[in-house]
Amino acid sequence: MPPAARRPAARGAGARSASVIPQISWRAPQPAPIVLVSGPEDVCAERAIAGIRDFLRAEDASLEVSDLRADDYTSGSLLTLTSPSLFGEPRLVRVGGVEKCSDAFLTEALSYLENPQEGATVVLRHTGASVRGKKLLDAIRSGTGGGVEIACPAVKRDSDRFDFAAGEFQAAHKKIAPVALRALVGAFADDLTELAAACQQLIADVPGDISEQVVERYYGGRVETSAFTVADTAIAGRYGDALVALRHALASGADPVPLVAAIASKLRTMARVAGIRESSASLAARLGMKDWQVDRARRDLTGWNETSLGMAIQAAARADAEVKGASRDPIFAVERLVTVIATRAPFGA
């Protein structure tokens, strides 16, 4: 491989202050003698590692790919797999379980950093689940071995999932309507692997832009999508549609708890932006939200006032307690909540 192709990328803005090596996005991985793939998000880590393999294979189809486990390590394996073969093919060694590495691996990996093999790329996967291997991480991040780091932090918040899904479509140069993206993220709120697969399916199957109707056709049966449909129609004051959506969700096996949670989440967002005269971008930055969330909440506030919104929030708190055990009939509790919100009826009705 030419030296220029092996040179690590420039240090990114997201680099850790304690690290002097380049920080590279998992969406645009580049090889280096040592590549540390850190963090708990396996979906992103797998993409990064596969991207490095594809990068190297595109440069030389004779690439030799080997796998090691740092927690079940046989002494000498790292040096054996990285050493040049008779014909000098490039080598990629993927090492998993570094957060549980054995003493033998730790010793040999630290030694390897001092003299990486020419033509070899070693990818070290550390989930961050333990401090095991910290000495090795510190050595890599100090610049020993000429490495780069690809951070894969956990994707937990709705805004993180939204950014992840938006990145999938941006990377594929595919347009998706904001409301469609929101529905898709809501449909797979608990599983990033499934969300990634859903994004890739839509990218592969849909020839044009992706609309809300397309997402509904593909994934309308998901419980979380049904929950947000109930919330949207109730808050919009469409009582009949809200009841139909609720009954469809319940008939499809939806649990009242996430249904109430979806409604309560939207009400809280509405309350946070109500009455604030500030640009969407500025308010979103101050509240830790996205521009589209602020814009949507402001649209949702049409027809609401301080009294009715306060009443709805109280009703949601009551329903939340009831569906979590304070009532013998959680279905009635969520039906009453939908009625209170969609009709703007008094809280005690």
Side-chain angles (χ1 to χ4, degrees):
M1 181 178 299
R6 303 289 296 173
R7 189 178 300 118
R11 183 177 179 178
R16 304 180 189 182
S17 59
S19 177
V20 301
I21 62 174
Q23 305 290 298
I24 296 177
S25 167
W26 61 268
R27 288 193 182 278
Q30 298 179 29
I34 304 293
V35 181
L36 172 60
V37 181
S38 62
E41 200 54 73
D42 284 334
V43 173
C44 303
E46 289 170 3
R47 292 280 191 85
I49 295 170
I52 291 171
R53 178 202 61 205
D54 294 343
F55 187 107
L56 293 171
R57 189 164 282 162
E59 290 192 328
D60 192 329
S62 67
L63 176 72
E64 294 182 355
V65 181
S66 305
D67 293 291
L68 284 177
R69 290 294 305 180
D71 53 345
D72 185 21
Y73 181 73
T74 301
S75 295
S77 299
L78 180 59
L79 188 57
T80 297
L81 293 175
T82 54
S83 296
S85 66
L86 180 62
F87 299 102
E89 296 92 347
R91 286 88 62 207
L92 169 63
V93 181
R94 302 176 295 198
V95 185
V98 177
E99 71 281 357
K100 300 179 289 185
C101 66
S102 67
D103 291 339
F105 176 81
L106 183 59
T107 299
E108 293 189 13
L110 287 168
S111 177
Y112 182 85
L113 291 183
E114 299 295 336
N115 186 29
Q117 294 293 305
E118 180 67 29
T121 298
V122 177
V123 177
L124 300 168
R125 174 74 180 109
H126 193 296
T127 65
S130 73
V131 296
R132 183 69 176 163
K134 184 177 183 301
K135 186 176 181 180
L136 175 60
L137 302 189
D138 290 344
I140 296 170
R141 288 169 177 158
S142 73
T144 305
V148 299
E149 181 171 8
I150 301 175
C152 302
V155 177
K156 293 182 177 179
R157 299 179 302 175
D158 288 342
S159 59
D160 293 336
R161 284 187 286 271
F162 186 89
D163 288 344
F164 173 88
E168 295 289 276
F169 292 99
Q170 289 168 1
H173 305 289
K174 191 84 169 179
K175 291 184 178 180
I176 180 170
V179 66
L181 186 59
R182 177 178 174 275
L184 182 63
V185 172
F188 297 95
D190 297 324
D191 194 320
L192 191 68
T193 301
E194 290 190 1
L195 175 59
C199 292
Q200 293 305 314
Q201 182 179 20
L202 290 174
I203 290 168
D205 291 358
V206 180
D209 295 348
I210 298 169
S211 65
E212 183 181 14
Q213 290 71 30
V214 170
V215 173
E216 178 67 24
R217 185 168 72 247
Y218 273 76
Y219 304 113
R222 296 281 303 191
V223 171
E224 293 84 359
T225 298
S226 298
F228 281 107
T229 299
V230 173
D232 288 341
T233 51
I235 287 171
R238 293 157 47 197
Y239 182 45
D241 290 341
L243 282 183
V244 170
L246 174 60
R247 288 164 185 164
H248 172 73
L250 293 170
S252 301
D255 188 318
V257 173
L259 290 171
V260 172
I263 296 172
S265 175
K266 287 182 67 68
L267 292 172
R268 287 194 299 270
T269 302
M270 291 164 62
R272 295 178 73 189
V273 306
I276 301 178
R277 297 184 179 277
E278 190 175 345
S279 71
S280 296
S282 175
L283 182 57
R286 185 162 60 82
L287 297 179
M289 300 166 62
K290 297 295 182 184
D291 294 7
W292 67 269
Q293 291 176 308
V294 173
D295 292 337
R296 180 58 190 261
R298 284 173 166 166
R299 290 196 299 270
D300 288 337
L301 282 164
T302 302
W304 289 84
N305 56 39
E306 184 177 346
T307 300
S308 60
L309 184 57
M311 171 205 69
I313 291 172
Q314 291 181 56
R318 173 180 173 179
D320 182 67
E322 290 177 337
V323 297
K324 292 178 179 177
S327 170
R328 295 182 179 179
D329 192 345
I331 291 178
F332 174 73
V334 70
E335 287 179 343
R336 182 176 57 195
L337 174 61
V338 168
T339 299
V340 168
I341 291 175
T343 65
R344 315 296 197 263
F347 174 55

